[in-house]
Amino acid sequence: MKQIQNRKKQNKIEFSFDQNWFAKLNELSLYKQTHGNCNVPYKYPPNPTLGYWVSTQRSSYKQMQKAMFSYMTPERITALNDLGFVWKIKTETTD
Protein backbone atom coordinates (compact mmCIF):
# COMPACT_ATOMS: atom_id res chain seq x y z
CA MET A 1 0.00 0.00 0.00
CA LYS A 2 2.85 2.37 0.86
CA GLN A 3 4.48 1.73 -2.54
CA ILE A 4 1.25 2.60 -4.35
CA GLN A 5 0.95 5.87 -2.40
CA ASN A 6 4.58 6.74 -3.13
CA ARG A 7 4.09 6.02 -6.84
CA LYS A 8 0.97 8.20 -6.97
CA LYS A 9 2.90 11.00 -5.30
CA GLN A 10 5.75 10.53 -7.80
CA ASN A 11 3.31 10.67 -10.72
CA LYS A 12 1.84 13.95 -9.41
CA ILE A 13 5.32 15.45 -9.12
CA GLU A 14 6.24 14.34 -12.66
CA PHE A 15 2.94 15.69 -14.03
CA SER A 16 3.50 19.03 -12.29
CA PHE A 17 7.08 19.16 -13.59
CA ASP A 18 5.84 18.56 -17.15
CA GLN A 19 3.12 21.20 -16.77
CA ASN A 20 5.72 23.74 -15.65
CA TRP A 21 8.00 22.80 -18.54
CA PHE A 22 5.25 23.22 -21.12
CA ALA A 23 4.21 26.53 -19.52
CA LYS A 24 7.78 27.79 -20.09
CA LEU A 25 7.67 26.43 -23.64
CA ASN A 26 4.56 28.53 -24.19
CA GLU A 27 6.37 31.60 -22.81
CA LEU A 28 9.21 30.88 -25.24
CA SER A 29 6.70 30.67 -28.09
CA LEU A 30 5.34 34.11 -27.14
CA TYR A 31 8.90 35.47 -27.00
CA LYS A 32 9.53 34.11 -30.51
CA GLN A 33 6.35 35.75 -31.82
CA THR A 34 7.64 39.09 -30.57
CA HIS A 35 11.37 38.76 -31.33
CA GLY A 36 11.47 36.33 -34.25
CA ASN A 37 13.79 33.85 -32.52
CA CYS A 38 14.21 31.73 -29.38
CA ASN A 39 17.47 33.35 -28.28
CA VAL A 40 16.30 34.74 -24.95
CA PRO A 41 19.05 36.65 -23.16
CA TYR A 42 20.09 35.02 -19.88
CA LYS A 43 19.10 38.21 -18.08
CA TYR A 44 15.86 39.17 -19.80
CA PRO A 45 14.20 41.87 -17.64
CA PRO A 46 10.59 41.35 -18.78
CA ASN A 47 10.79 37.65 -17.83
CA PRO A 48 13.99 36.82 -15.88
CA THR A 49 13.15 33.16 -15.40
CA LEU A 50 12.69 32.55 -19.14
CA GLY A 51 16.34 33.29 -19.97
CA TYR A 52 17.46 30.97 -17.19
CA TRP A 53 15.07 28.27 -18.42
CA VAL A 54 16.37 28.52 -21.99
CA SER A 55 19.94 28.20 -20.72
CA THR A 56 18.93 25.18 -18.66
CA GLN A 57 17.43 23.49 -21.74
CA ARG A 58 20.74 23.85 -23.55
CA SER A 59 22.63 22.44 -20.56
CA SER A 60 20.23 19.52 -20.21
CA TYR A 61 20.59 18.74 -23.91
CA LYS A 62 24.40 18.70 -23.61
CA GLN A 63 24.17 16.39 -20.58
CA MET A 64 21.89 14.04 -22.47
CA GLN A 65 24.31 13.93 -25.41
CA LYS A 66 27.10 12.95 -22.99
CA ALA A 67 24.90 10.14 -21.59
CA MET A 68 24.67 11.96 -18.26
CA PHE A 69 21.51 12.33 -16.19
CA SER A 70 19.20 14.87 -17.82
CA TYR A 71 15.57 15.91 -17.73
CA MET A 72 15.70 16.40 -21.49
CA THR A 73 13.51 13.97 -23.42
CA PRO A 74 12.96 13.29 -27.12
CA GLU A 75 9.50 14.86 -26.78
CA ARG A 76 11.01 18.07 -25.39
CA ILE A 77 13.69 18.17 -28.06
CA THR A 78 11.02 17.87 -30.75
CA ALA A 79 8.90 20.61 -29.16
CA LEU A 80 11.90 22.95 -28.95
CA ASN A 81 13.06 22.10 -32.48
CA ASP A 82 9.56 22.82 -33.78
CA LEU A 83 9.90 26.34 -32.36
CA GLY A 84 13.25 26.82 -34.05
CA PHE A 85 15.28 26.53 -30.86
CA VAL A 86 19.03 27.02 -31.31
CA TRP A 87 20.92 24.48 -29.22
CA LYS A 88 24.34 26.06 -29.45
CA ILE A 89 24.78 29.81 -29.37
CA LYS A 90 27.93 31.15 -30.92
CA THR A 91 29.34 33.98 -28.88
CA GLU A 92 31.21 36.78 -30.51
CA THR A 93 34.72 37.43 -29.32
CA THR A 94 36.32 40.81 -29.31
CA ASP A 95 39.89 40.98 -30.58
Side-chain angles (χ1 to χ4, degrees), residues 42-85:
Y42 186 76
K43 293 183 179 182
Y44 178 59
N47 187 345
T49 61
L50 183 59
Y52 175 77
W53 182 83
V54 166
S55 177
T56 300
Q57 301 318 297
R58 289 188 181 106
S59 295
S60 293
Y61 182 73
K62 286 179 196 174
Q63 288 174 321
M64 186 193 76
Q65 287 183 315
K66 294 177 182 178
M68 297 170 64
F69 174 79
S70 173
Y71 288 109
M72 188 55 63
T73 65
E75 177 187 33
R76 290 178 178 187
I77 292 168
T78 298
L80 288 164
N81 284 339
D82 288 349
L83 269 183
F85 191 81

Side-chain angles (χ1 to χ4, degrees), residues 3-56:
Q3 278 186 321
I4 292 171
Q5 290 173 337
N6 286 342
R7 186 64 195 151
K8 285 182 182 179
K9 188 175 183 179
Q10 179 72 25
N11 286 342
K12 284 183 183 180
I13 291 169
E14 288 172 7
F15 180 73
S16 176
F17 186 74
D18 281 344
Q19 280 185 316
N20 291 337
W21 191 91
F22 281 102
K24 282 294 181 198
L25 182 69
N26 186 55
E27 291 175 27
L28 181 60
S29 178
L30 295 173
Y31 177 93
K32 183 178 179 180
Q33 288 175 15
T34 303
H35 300 279
N37 62 56
C38 296
N39 301 333
V40 183
Y42 186 76
K43 293 183 179 182
Y44 178 59
N47 187 345
T49 61
L50 183 59
Y52 175 77
W53 182 83
V54 166
S55 177
T56 300

